[in-house]
Amino acid sequence: MPGGSTVGRVLSVADDTSIKVSRQTRERLTQLAAERRMTLKDVVAELAAAAPTAAELTEREQRAREVLAAHFGVEVTETDLAASARLRVLISRRKAVA
């Protein structure tokens, strides 16, 4: 881009695009790529594919509720979900201390 700034722009080649990450994050991604004998691009794609979106999590929850109701006669309530969330927080805190 002659004479123009690239600040705030996304550079694109075909379907590829560049993203900015901290040096520490890039070094970690590079290490993961080397250990897995993959390209950095493939590691980022793998990590992104493995992380479910909020909509996907909601869909999984609904399917799980349907299976529990259909096969086990268990109706999961909002109160049950809230209690489960509190339990997960307590467990994660214990792991962090240990």
Side-chain angles (χ1 to χ4, degrees):
M1 293 185 184
S5 169
T6 60
V7 174
R9 295 186 184 162
V10 175
L11 303 178
S12 235
V13 178
D15 285 339
D16 293 346
T17 187
S18 63
I19 58 173
K20 290 189 177 201
V21 296
S22 69
R23 184 176 309 242
Q24 180 181 6
T25 298
R26 187 181 194 308
E27 288 171 2
R28 180 157 178 89
L29 290 169
T30 301
Q31 180 182 0
L32 290 170
E35 289 174 359
R36 296 174 185 190
R37 295 185 176 161
M38 300 170 71
T39 65
L40 190 58
K41 175 182 171 179
D42 290 340
V43 168
V44 171
E46 184 179 86
L47 293 171
T53 65
E56 291 165 339
L57 290 172
T58 299
E59 183 181 330
R60 287 182 193 177
E61 177 190 317
Q62 185 57 41
R63 284 196 320 258
R65 284 178 163 196
E66 290 168 1
V67 168
L68 288 170
H71 296 284
F72 303 103
V74 175
E75 296 290 332
V76 179
T77 67
E78 294 303 317
T79 301
D80 296 330
L81 291 175
S84 175
R86 286 191 303 272
L87 181 59
R88 285 192 304 275
V89 168
L90 290 173
I91 291 170
S92 68
R93 286 181 184 161
R94 283 190 180 175
K95 286 181 182 177
V97 172

